[in-house]
Amino acid sequence: MEDKEKDLQNEQQDRITELGSAVTENKQGSIYTLTVIGQIEGHQVLPENCKTTKYEHVLPMLASIEESEEIDGLLLLLNTVGGDIEAGLAIAEMISGMKKPTVSLVLGGGHSIGIPLAVCTKKSFITPTASMTVHPVRMTGLVVGAPQTYRYFHRIQEQIADFVTANSGISRGEFERYMMATGEMATDVGTILYGKEAVASGLIDQLGGLSDALAELHRMIDAYKKERKTNWKS
């Protein structure tokens, strides 16, 4: 029995070290905690001195969480500067499509492509000191200066705006106004929203901390279990 508990502790420690995730269990249910930190890494490998969230690790993990009978809900902790657009949207779409209870909590920052990740859960929280940067699509490296490039950028922005407005309470016009605002950021366009502002805009559901996010997730898990039990009986 002691060896089994030791193995579980070692497995938990390895999961935290390698993937920035953990599983906690109590009488209310089991919660998988996933962190999205630093830059979201896409098709290009970032330097070793950058903290990254690798989408090729996260996507299969989310699929296994959804299918697992041992996991009741997902807690998503965000402190990210953004990163690869396609990778960020892929993770957000995966979480948005989950049936299990999901809650996000923005800590520190949920910038750029971190915004779709913040709103992709069934309920979103943000701490008072956390911030979110809404800005147009930007690309580093070689960019071909042609009309097709502009249309490509515009279509990506449309996809992001569609996802954010479909998964939050902010209006399309308000989100685009934040995205294209001038005077908020030095040498750039966009808007920085802090906790209360993000909630007031409808982008994030509620102001709160870890205990608030966990309490809501446990409430959702309880409701989800009751619904499944009712459907199973019928």
Side-chain angles (χ1 to χ4, degrees):
M1 189 67 178
E2 290 183 2
D3 290 340
K4 186 177 180 180
E5 289 181 0
K6 191 173 182 180
D7 289 340
L8 288 173
Q9 290 177 354
N10 290 336
E11 182 183 344
Q12 182 84 307
Q13 187 60 47
D14 290 342
R15 187 185 288 118
I16 294 172
T17 303
E18 296 297 324
L19 302 174
S21 60
V23 178
T24 55
E25 299 180 32
N26 58 36
K27 61 182 180 180
Q28 293 175 288
S30 59
I31 293 174
Y32 196 105
T33 301
L34 174 65
T35 58
V36 175
I37 61 167
Q39 294 189 55
I40 299 164
E41 188 177 271
H43 304 302
Q44 301 295 323
V45 178
L46 294 173
E48 292 184 0
N49 61 340
C50 294
K51 286 189 177 295
T52 63
T53 298
K54 300 178 184 295
Y55 83 107
E56 69 269 25
H57 292 170
V58 176
L59 296 184
M61 185 191 305
L62 292 171
S64 65
I65 292 169
E66 178 73 348
E67 284 293 292
S68 175
E69 294 182 358
E70 299 176 354
I71 304 296
D72 297 310
L74 172 69
L75 175 64
L76 184 65
L77 301 180
L78 292 162
N79 187 12
T80 176
V81 296
D84 188 277
I85 293 171
E86 290 183 353
L89 280 177
I91 297 171
E93 288 282 11
M94 285 279 286
I95 297 173
S96 177
M98 294 175 70
K99 290 184 178 180
K100 285 186 177 179
T102 55
V103 170
S104 65
L105 174 60
V106 182
L107 301 155
H111 305 292
S112 191
I113 201 62
I115 292 174
L117 287 164
V119 305
C120 70
T121 53
K122 293 177 175 60
K123 185 87 173 190
S124 58
F125 287 81
I126 187 170
T127 59
T129 58
S131 59
M132 305 179 78
T133 305
V134 186
H135 63 72
V137 171
R138 297 178 295 196
M139 188 171 289
T140 58
L142 179 64
V143 178
V144 179
Q148 292 90 335
T149 303
Y150 171 78
R151 287 197 293 271
Y152 172 67
F153 278 23
H154 181 70
R155 291 184 68 184
I156 293 176
Q157 283 184 191
E158 290 285 304
Q159 295 297 319
I160 293 171
D162 285 345
F163 184 89
V164 171
T165 53
N167 288 275
S168 71
I170 195 170
S171 68
R172 180 65 174 254
E174 187 77 348
F175 184 72
E176 291 182 343
R177 184 178 70 81
Y178 284 139
M179 186 182 286
M180 304 305 296
T182 58
E184 287 275 330
M185 300 165 61
T187 68
D188 203 351
V189 294
T191 305
I192 299 175
L193 299 173
Y194 287 91
K196 289 182 179 179
E197 297 170 303
V199 175
S201 71
L203 187 59
I204 298 296
D205 294 325
Q206 192 172 326
L207 198 69
L210 180 60
S211 60
D212 302 298
L214 285 171
E216 177 62 22
L217 186 54
H218 282 303
R219 186 197 65 77
M220 292 168 63
I221 288 171
D222 185 56
Y224 180 70
K225 286 181 176 180
K226 288 178 180 177
E227 182 183 355
R228 290 188 65 186
K229 190 175 181 179
T230 301
N231 292 338
W232 180 76
K233 286 183 178 180
S234 59

